Amino acid sequence: MRPKPKKSLGQNFLVDKNIQEKIIQSGNLKKSDVVLEIGPGRGELTSFLLEKVKKVIAVEIDSSLCAILRDKFSGYQNFELINQDILKFDIRDFIKNDKKLKVIANLPYYISTPIITHLFEHREVIKEMYLTLQKELASRLTTGPGSKEYGSISCFIQFYSDAQILFPIKNTSFWPAPKVDSCFLKLKILSKPKVRVSDEQLFFKLIRCAFNQRRKSLKNSLGSLLPEPLLKDCLKSAKLKPNLRAEDLSLADFARLANRVNQY
Ligand code: SAM
């Protein structure tokens, strides 16, 4: 019997077989891969994964789905199921000596951003992520300067990874169908961040501060971070006009500015 989807856990199951296959093909899976699947649900993608890779570590919060999955995949030696909230799962600690993971997930919408942040906090044990996300969030993660969707999360993601939308997914591919469409996204973790910064904490603090008041010019939005004469000086030496706004700046621009600020 099909268990009733729990809305509170973001259970919109991917039922479109063509999309399931497209996802599996896009993951460029190898026999030597170790895959972390977040929210395996009823195990539809998991079935494909188990045939293709060395090991699938599946983290599912819903105990009733875990019971089904345990039963369904009892014959597979390469299946490891963890009944836990992914946000409380220490990926780094768990995989220890294993090689770097590929993450594959159709993420529950209600906590997609915290899960992505959690994954990036464990990025040293991850090589690639393949994620199904709400279309709007996928655009925010992949867009650059000049766009209204460009924000601190775009900078954070693109600092550590190459982010690319692979294909759109219609809401009707899911059961029950959510109100919004989705996208399938690839995030390839970089061996070193895209731009050089002397103090990452300061770099992200400055980005957040600039985007918190995104309609204001930098000379105003960054006013709480630095005294005005100093800010003016840093903007000038980073070759940035004080009337620019956060959304005008590329990662390299933010890096130049943060590195100047860090010199004072
Ligand atoms: N992978 C399945 C599919 O594609 O049909 C299910 C995807 S469904 C959008 C999201 C899944 O994540 C559900 O199985 C849900 O129970 C699970 N989930 C929700 N919150 C979670 C959490 N904090 N940690 C782990 N799994 C979670």
Side-chain angles (χ1 to χ4, degrees):
M1 201 183 74
R2 294 213 297 194
K4 199 164 173 270
K6 296 187 180 82
K7 209 173 166 187
S8 62
L9 292 179
Q11 291 180 355
N12 299 96
F13 299 111
L14 180 67
V15 288
D16 183 330
K17 296 273 171 223
N18 290 330
I19 299 290
Q20 288 173 5
E21 275 168 30
K22 222 168 149 181
I23 286 177
I24 296 296
Q25 275 163 20
S26 308
N28 187 24
L29 298 166
K30 303 200 176 58
K31 224 25 205 175
S32 56
D33 281 338
V34 178
V35 169
L36 168 66
E37 189 186 10
I38 301 165
R42 301 178 311 175
E44 312 232 3
L45 285 175
T46 324
S47 309
F48 288 102
L49 292 172
L50 286 168
E51 298 298 336
K52 289 202 175 277
V53 303
K54 182 175 160 200
K55 187 172 176 185
V56 177
I57 303 162
V59 180
E60 172 59 63
I61 197 169
D62 184 340
S63 318
S64 51
L65 287 178
C66 283
I68 295 173
L69 291 164
R70 239 174 247 119
D71 192 40
K72 186 167 178 178
F73 300 124
S74 59
Y76 285 87
Q77 297 300 312
N78 58 343
F79 180 60
E80 180 152 11
L81 180 63
I82 293 143
N83 184 188
Q84 203 179 332
D85 178 348
I86 185 66
L87 297 180
K88 297 191 179 130
F89 180 65
D90 190 330
I91 310 169
R92 201 184 294 118
D93 192 48
F94 185 82
I95 74 153
K96 281 196 183 98
N97 302 321
D98 257 326
K99 52 181 279 189
K100 285 193 180 185
L101 299 170
K102 275 187 182 172
V103 175
I104 298 196
N106 169 16
L107 288 182
Y109 292 149
Y110 76 111
I111 44 162
S112 296
T113 305
I115 293 179
I116 293 171
T117 309
H118 183 70
L119 290 170
F120 271 79
E121 280 162 3
H122 293 85
R123 64 187 174 278
E124 80 264 26
V125 293
I126 296 174
K127 56 178 173 183
E128 287 163 13
M129 306 180 199
Y130 295 88
L131 307 177
T132 302
L133 297 178
Q134 201 172 324
K135 196 170 138 195
E136 286 68 22
L137 177 57
S139 316
R140 271 167 50 213
L141 301 189
T142 51
T143 197
S147 145
K148 281 200 178 61
E149 289 156 330
Y150 183 51
S152 38
I153 190 144
S154 331
C155 295
F156 176 70
I157 296 297
Q158 293 170 37
F159 181 66
Y160 294 116
S161 73
D162 273 332
Q164 187 191 0
I165 291 178
L166 297 185
F167 52 85
I169 308 179
K170 282 253 162 247
N171 65 335
T172 48
S173 298
F174 301 91
W175 175 78
K179 288 202 178 71
V180 290
D181 290 331
S182 293
C183 274
F184 189 61
L185 189 81
K186 175 178 177 183
L187 300 165
K188 186 176 184 341
I189 301 292
L190 301 168
S191 52
K192 58 179 195 316
K194 212 164 276 165
V195 291
R196 199 195 59 77
V197 294
S198 45
D199 181 338
E200 281 186 24
Q201 250 185 332
L202 172 67
F203 172 66
F204 287 120
K205 189 172 168 190
L206 188 139
I207 290 175
R208 277 196 305 272
C209 189
F211 278 109
N212 272 347
Q213 294 179 292
R214 57 182 303 140
R215 289 213 186 81
K216 290 194 176 170
S217 60
L218 295 175
K219 71 173 186 301
N220 291 319
S221 61
L222 296 178
S224 61
L225 209 65
L226 286 175
E228 196 188 323
L230 197 56
L231 175 59
K232 261 177 130 173
D233 222 36
C234 290
L235 286 167
K236 193 170 173 201
S237 60
K239 297 191 171 46
L240 295 168
K241 294 205 173 84
N243 60 344
L244 288 173
R245 295 173 181 178
E247 68 183 41
D248 299 317
L249 268 61
S250 65
L251 268 185
D253 293 331
F254 277 120
R256 250 187 0 266
L257 182 57
N259 290 343
R260 291 292 171 189
V261 174
N262 195 31
Q263 279 175 356
Y264 286 96

